Amino acid sequence: MTREVSTTQVGSGLVLAVLACSQFLMTLDSSVMNVSMATVAADVGTTITGIQTAITLYTLVMATLMITGSKVGSMIGRRRAFALGLIIYGVGSFTTAIAPNLAVLLIGWSFLEGVGAALIMPAIVALVATNFSSEKRSAAYGLVAAAGAMAVAVGPLLGGAVTTFASWRYVFVGEVVLVALILAVLRKVADVPPVKSRLDGVGSVLSVVGLGMIVFGVLRSSEWGWMQAKPGGPQILGLSPVVWLLIGGLLVVYGFLRWETRLVDAGREPLMDPAMLRNRQLSGGLFMFFVQFLVQAGVFFAVPLFLSVVLELSALETGIRILPLSAALVLAAIGIPKLLPNANPRRIVRVGLLSMIIGILLLVAGMDPGANAAVVMVPMLFMGFGLGSLSSQLGAVTVSSVPDEESAEVGGLQNTATNLGASLGTALIGSVLIATLTTSVIAGIEGNPAVPMSVQQQATTALASGVPFLSTTELQNALAAAGVSEQATAAIVDVNSEARLEALRVAFAVAALLAIAGLFGTGRVPRVPVGTD
């Protein structure tokens, strides 16, 4: 039975602010940590690898528990699951803020915040469906999705500023305060009574193990290699563990779907009804979410590298250069549903993808030796408009494809798709970038008359497993410490400068290809706007 809620009575602006702030909060951590890794590592007595492990585990916990978290939300009530998730998340943020070492950081951030997010994010999707009538959902989902994308763009600026002028710990203290404020007004958000049901334990384990293997394999690909093991890296039967993790994960996910189908056929309650995936509109929306976050994560991985490593801008300056994306994103996410409420969703999604493609191709063209920070401004505007266009439509497309009582399950699937897309996008673009950089640097050094043969041999051996993406200053300092001559240093720096730009061009080109591939999936997005007959 469809539920229509008077959002005017409960304060639609306040409800939307609560849900958007929550989405912003869930996405903020990783983008803040990415620009503060060195400082955090020093504060908790670990290495950059240790912090990267924490980031990996946070993503892993979120991605694997989303489907289970959505089911728990249906069982205990969506607002209650939302509140429980916020409490767990707040405890995790507080634990992270006071973490004296890596172990406590892993417990607070990677585990507790990840578990909290797995309860909160599916509930957000369901609560939008509950609190807003069908004709207002596109705008509501657009703003909520925009809040999450804004966190990715604003995170480097916020993290850089707080880390530079105070301490990264204050970011997590601020999260605790925001959690408390959201909890204080949560009663204004309309809820739906819980549905009497049971949790499919076998299905939960299978989904966690299968998705966990896939996400963990993807996240380790840059370190271990996709198929062939990198020199010095682990091997299983002569291949990288990544390929075995992906094979095993896909088989377990297949087993999960077969188990769920068996439960449905037996008249028992599944964790997720596989028939939902045969819904053309839902599967199309989930695919587009996957593509959006795949491309978004890849671009957001490469653009900060250009600004912070190639141009050697500070974290704060890097964040400022990405702000045009946030502005365009919010304007598109809010403005399109408001100005074009009856627009064709499929057309909006296609225009959004084309805008993203144009922005990425402008980045490819802008990777020249004389490029400065201004070269990213126009591409960021195109990217922001494109992401905002997709955000304005996709949430409503997925949720409107099923009855309201299944919106929590859709939330779990939706957030699983976005986390998988973000993980794969970062890993894929990172792998392409490092592989291109390695090939270019080694080719540029070998046979270079300005580089002594002994240095060529040492460099070829040392860099075979992957060339680090270093700034000119970092490279010069490293070469000076190694006793390399000034002439050889100048030649190697020139090679590295050219190779970095080539690697970025290739990485952005791959991101453009991924966005173009997404166009082929837009046929499953409906032409009729949500809320109209």
Side-chain angles (χ1 to χ4, degrees), residues 137-147 149 289 292-293 296 329 332-333 337 348-349 384-396:
R137 283 180 195 163
S138 290
Y141 280 120
L143 187 57
V144 170
F289 265 117
Q292 175 186 343
F293 279 79
Q296 173 183 307
L329 192 155
I348 295 295
V349 168
F385 176 79
L387 290 171
S389 298
L390 267 65
S391 298
S392 72
Q393 304 298 316
L394 294 183

Side-chain angles (χ1 to χ4, degrees), residues 423-497:
S423 301
L424 184 58
T426 302
L428 181 59
I429 296 303
S431 295
V432 168
L433 189 142
I434 297 301
T436 306
L437 182 68
T438 300
T439 302
S440 299
V441 167
I442 292 177
I445 290 176
E446 287 180 341
N448 190 321
V451 181
M453 187 60 66
S454 59
V455 175
Q456 290 183 28
Q457 293 172 346
Q458 291 176 1
T460 302
T461 301
L463 301 176
S465 60
V467 174
F469 203 88
L470 298 175
S471 69
T472 297
T473 301
E474 290 172 326
L475 181 59
Q476 288 173 334
N477 292 338
L479 293 173
V484 178
S485 67
E486 291 185 7
Q487 182 181 7
T489 294
I492 294 172
V493 166
D494 287 342
V495 167
N496 183 62
S497 297

